């Protein structure tokens, strides 16, 4: 049997020289308050075993990793109808780009760029009337932790400074691709991004993606096997910003990253793995986190390829 714990401890040592590389996201001022050189990594196997190193109990801002959970909710609610309003191709541009949205008539390239996530939030609002609390409750259920919460200071900080997201929501509305008031959609979206979790909780919450849609320990079907395949495919092709090719080349796992420095990845049939280190590379992925995942798939010889 693979010695996951020993491998994680090796990675924790080998990663140390990289912890000072890259920069913490500061365009949301509250995010810049994080301790920059911290590292955590958690592996959850579908057979119930789990392994951790570093600051795996310390919560951080999940930011765009929330897009994984909002997409899951939207697929549960409307399934394939989603794709009338959102594409499923890599964008080849920045996660907050407006240009592409203009010449593609307000249809976001995929659900993992900001424009796509705003449309997803709008879909959840149409179905449930409350896109803020319902997403939080869903994540609490998936992670089996009732005290997971929004970080209201991060949500407020982004609401005050996220001018590009404000522009994007209004832009989507001008193309009739939002049914609700842009301010209402943005408020829910900023709260989703502000949710604070640790690597242990995120790996647990995402485990159904490695188990054909069933959350193993509660035996609860979250998605069908077909839907789970689709989300993993989108993670592989669109989940790590505009360096998704390089990430797949180096790591070889479907993954979703966030500007808080977290990355949640899966190996279907085996495990979920979450890593956190706040300094980002120039494409917005955790610098040390990407390196740690690369070391992990190299050392374990496990990847989807
Ligand atoms: N709340 C962030 C934004 O919309 C999320 C960015 C990210 O993690 O990719 O800019």
């Amino acid at each position: 049997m693979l010695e996951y714990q020993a491998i994680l401890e090796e990675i924790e040592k080998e990663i140390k020289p990289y912890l000072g590389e890259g920069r913490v996201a500061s365009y949301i001022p509250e995010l810049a308050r994080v301790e920059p050189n911290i590292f955590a990594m958690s592996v959850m196997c579908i057979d119930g075993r789990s392994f951790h190193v570093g600051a795996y109990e310390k919560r951080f801002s999940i930011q765009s990793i929330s897009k994984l959970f909002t997409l899951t909710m939207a697929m549960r609610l409307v399934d394939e109808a989603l794709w009338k309003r959102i594409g499923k191709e890599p964008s080849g541009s920045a996660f907050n780009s407006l240009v592409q949205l203009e010449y593609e008539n307000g249809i976001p390239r995929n659900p993992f760029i900001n424009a796509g996530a705003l449309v997803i939030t709008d879909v959840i609002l149409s179905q449930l009337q409350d896109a803020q609390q319902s997403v939080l409750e869903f994540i609490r259920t998936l992670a089996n932790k009732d005290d997971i919460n929004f970080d209201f200071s991060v949500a407020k900080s982004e609401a005050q400074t996220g001018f590009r997201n404000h522009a994007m929501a209004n832009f989507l509305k001008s193309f009739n691709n939002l049914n609700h008031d842009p301010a209402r959609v943005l408020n829910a979206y900023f709260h989703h991004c502000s949710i604070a979790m640790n690597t242990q909780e995120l790996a647990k919450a995402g485990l159904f993606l490695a188990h054909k849609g069933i959350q193993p320990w509660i035996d609860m079907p979250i998605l069908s096997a077909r839907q789970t395949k689709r989300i993993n495919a989108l993670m592989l092709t669109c989940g790590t910003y505009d360096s998704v090719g390089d990430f797949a080349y180096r790591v070889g796992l479907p993954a979703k990253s966030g500007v808080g420095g977290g990355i949640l990845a899966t190996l279907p049939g085996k495990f979920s793995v979450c890593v956190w280190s706040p300094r980002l590379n120039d494409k917005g992925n955790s610098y040390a986190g990407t390196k740690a995942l690369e070391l992990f798939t190299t050392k374990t010889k496990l990847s989807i390829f």
Side-chain angles (χ1 to χ4, degrees):
M1 192 171 286
L2 255 172
E3 294 291 340
Y4 286 110
Q5 188 61 37
I7 290 173
L8 289 189
E9 283 164 20
E10 260 178 56
I11 293 172
E12 192 186 20
K13 281 200 197 90
E14 289 174 33
I15 211 71
K16 286 220 162 80
Y18 299 96
L19 293 180
E21 302 274 345
R23 295 165 76 100
V24 169
S26 58
Y27 75 101
I28 301 171
E30 270 300 300
L31 291 184
R33 292 158 58 92
V34 72
E35 193 185 321
N37 295 356
I38 203 161
F39 176 76
M41 191 163 184
S42 294
V43 175
M44 290 265 169
C45 298
I46 59 175
D47 62 12
R49 291 174 304 145
S50 66
F51 309 91
H52 313 275
V53 284
Y56 63 92
E57 286 175 320
K58 195 166 167 59
R59 288 180 171 159
F60 58 95
S61 197
I62 70 170
Q63 292 297 319
S64 273
I65 302 175
S66 64
K67 293 177 169 78
L68 207 46
F69 302 112
T70 50
L71 171 62
T72 299
M73 269 185 87
M75 285 192 85
R76 281 160 65 91
L77 292 165
V78 302
D79 199 14
E80 295 289 310
L82 213 51
W83 310 120
K84 292 195 194 100
R85 295 176 61 186
I86 309 175
K88 27 181 149 54
E89 295 295 338
S91 73
S93 26
F95 67 98
N96 56 5
S97 167
L98 285 155
V99 180
Q100 199 165 51
L101 204 54
E102 164 94 72
Y103 58 77
E104 296 188 354
N105 301 315
I107 303 292
R109 268 288 172 102
N110 68 66
F112 291 147
I113 54 174
N114 286 8
L118 290 168
V119 172
I120 295 270
T121 303
D122 189 65
V123 168
I124 298 173
L125 267 172
S126 297
Q127 300 293 316
L128 302 176
Q129 276 72 55
D130 174 5
Q132 193 169 310
Q133 195 63 24
S134 56
V135 168
L136 180 65
E137 294 301 337
F138 182 54
I139 289 177
R140 284 177 173 169
T141 305
L142 290 176
N144 202 18
K145 262 295 183 61
D146 282 346
D147 68 346
I148 292 171
N149 217 333
F150 304 113
D151 182 330
F152 292 102
S153 54
V154 170
K156 189 170 166 212
S157 180
E158 186 166 10
Q160 285 168 345
T161 56
F163 299 110
R164 189 169 269 271
N165 283 327
H166 286 279
M168 199 171 293
N170 283 287
F171 208 31
L172 286 164
K173 185 76 177 172
S174 78
F175 284 107
N176 292 321
N177 203 3
L178 282 191
N179 294 325
H180 298 86
D181 177 15
R184 194 169 162 209
V185 176
L186 283 165
N187 184 49
Y189 168 78
F190 292 148
H191 280 86
H192 300 156
C193 292
S194 82
I195 291 173
M197 294 169 77
N198 59 38
T199 56
Q200 183 173 17
E201 291 161 346
L202 269 170
K204 193 162 189 181
L207 194 51
F208 69 96
L209 292 167
H211 193 44
K212 295 193 188 295
I214 294 170
Q215 200 60 321
W217 70 94
I218 39 178
D219 214 18
M220 178 178 168
I222 309 296
L223 293 175
S224 68
R226 176 185 61 87
Q227 290 169 320
T228 310
K229 172 186 75 180
R230 301 207 186 307
I231 293 195
N232 274 286
L234 286 162
M235 289 163 76
L236 186 73
T237 53
C238 314
T240 46
Y241 305 119
D242 194 18
S243 60
V244 78
D246 185 60
F247 188 93
Y249 179 87
R250 289 170 58 186
V251 176
L253 297 176
K256 181 73 203 90
S257 55
V259 295
I263 307 175
L264 175 56
T266 66
L267 180 57
K270 282 224 168 335
F271 57 70
S272 57
V273 50
C274 184
V275 65
W276 173 51
S277 191
R279 289 184 188 269
L280 309 178
N281 62 25
D282 57 358
K283 296 292 185 185
N285 295 307
S286 170
Y287 193 104
T290 305
K291 186 73 195 164
L293 287 170
E294 183 180 0
L295 285 169
F296 185 71
T297 51
T298 304
K299 285 175 188 290
T300 57
K301 300 190 179 64
L302 292 174
S303 81
I304 62 166
F305 301 110

